[in-house]
Amino acid sequence: MEVPNDNPLCRESVAFTVKGPVPIFLQEHQASKTGCSSIDIILTTPGRVREILFRNYYVANVGVLLIKGNDNKPYQWQPAIQKKILMPDAHLENCSQDVFSILATESVIDWNYVLMFRLILRQPSQMWGTFKLEEINLYADLPRFNLTPSLPSAPQCEYSRMLELIRKQTMAALMYSSNMETCSNSTTPTAIHKYEKQACGYEIVKLSQI
């Protein structure tokens, strides 16, 4: 059993180059836009990979193929992960620009002696003209903490939304308190009535348990 790296700040990265994204067409001379493209990740030397880390940009789901070079057989693409959901709803922006992690433990085959990955990017919605992956990184060891956003209880994007909501409400509450202090020094009923209309408070949201 492989043990995750104890220090998440000190990890063994894998050198690679990226080609793409390249649109995938069903017909050779097809000119219309397609909802599918591919990115090739070419390793500098064949080796072990345990994690692919990237930032999404409107990709609904991704598939993973790879080529291994540990035997004398002709190189051929092998399916590793058929479909990993990145956006729960392709027509909505939820998780459209979040950071995602694909681990070797999610694959149906091992990621040893890898020569190349091919990521199949899919976006069935016509609302987004461009979809791609950014800030791609490969690591030779497993992360200490699983960064996969699809937690059983709640997606990572839901936590981000809740935290952003709390931050905005906190700032609004602080501004309201400051305004009330200014208002208390005023003797005009009009000013008091004005700040009463602007009153705001916290919206209590129950956070999901990890």
Side-chain angles (χ1 to χ4, degrees), residues 10 83 85 92 182 185 188:
C10 182
K83 184 178 182 180
I85 302 295
L92 302 179
T182 304
N185 297 326
T188 60

Side-chain angles (χ1 to χ4, degrees), residues 133-185:
L133 302 182
E134 302 174 330
E135 303 174 21
I136 300 174
N137 286 288
L138 302 185
Y139 294 99
D141 51 0
L142 290 171
R144 177 62 177 173
F145 303 104
N146 187 357
L147 299 179
T148 305
S150 300
L151 297 173
S153 56
Q156 180 176 333
C157 58
E158 183 67 14
Y159 284 100
S160 300
R161 187 190 69 81
M162 291 180 179
L163 291 175
E164 180 64 17
L165 177 63
I166 292 173
R167 186 189 69 82
K168 290 181 178 179
Q169 292 174 344
T170 301
M171 295 300 298
L174 292 174
M175 292 177 63
Y176 171 67
S177 299
S178 176
N179 290 337
M180 285 301 295
E181 290 180 1
T182 304
C183 179
S184 63
N185 297 326

Side-chain angles (χ1 to χ4, degrees), residues 75-87:
Y75 296 153
Q76 59 181 359
W77 290 108
Q78 302 180 52
I81 298 175
Q82 182 177 6
K83 184 178 182 180
K84 181 180 177 69
I85 302 295
L86 305 184
M87 297 172 62

Side-chain angles (χ1 to χ4, degrees), residues 10-27:
C10 182
R11 305 190 60 192
E12 182 182 352
S13 60
V14 178
F16 64 93
T17 57
V18 176
K19 178 183 177 182
V22 178
I24 298 176
F25 298 101
L26 296 178
Q27 300 177 3

Side-chain angles (χ1 to χ4, degrees), residues 15-19 40-45 114-117 138:
F16 64 93
T17 57
V18 176
K19 178 183 177 182
D40 287 347
I41 303 176
I42 306 166
L43 275 66
T44 304
T45 57
V114 177
L115 292 173
M116 182 188 306
F117 287 101
L138 302 185

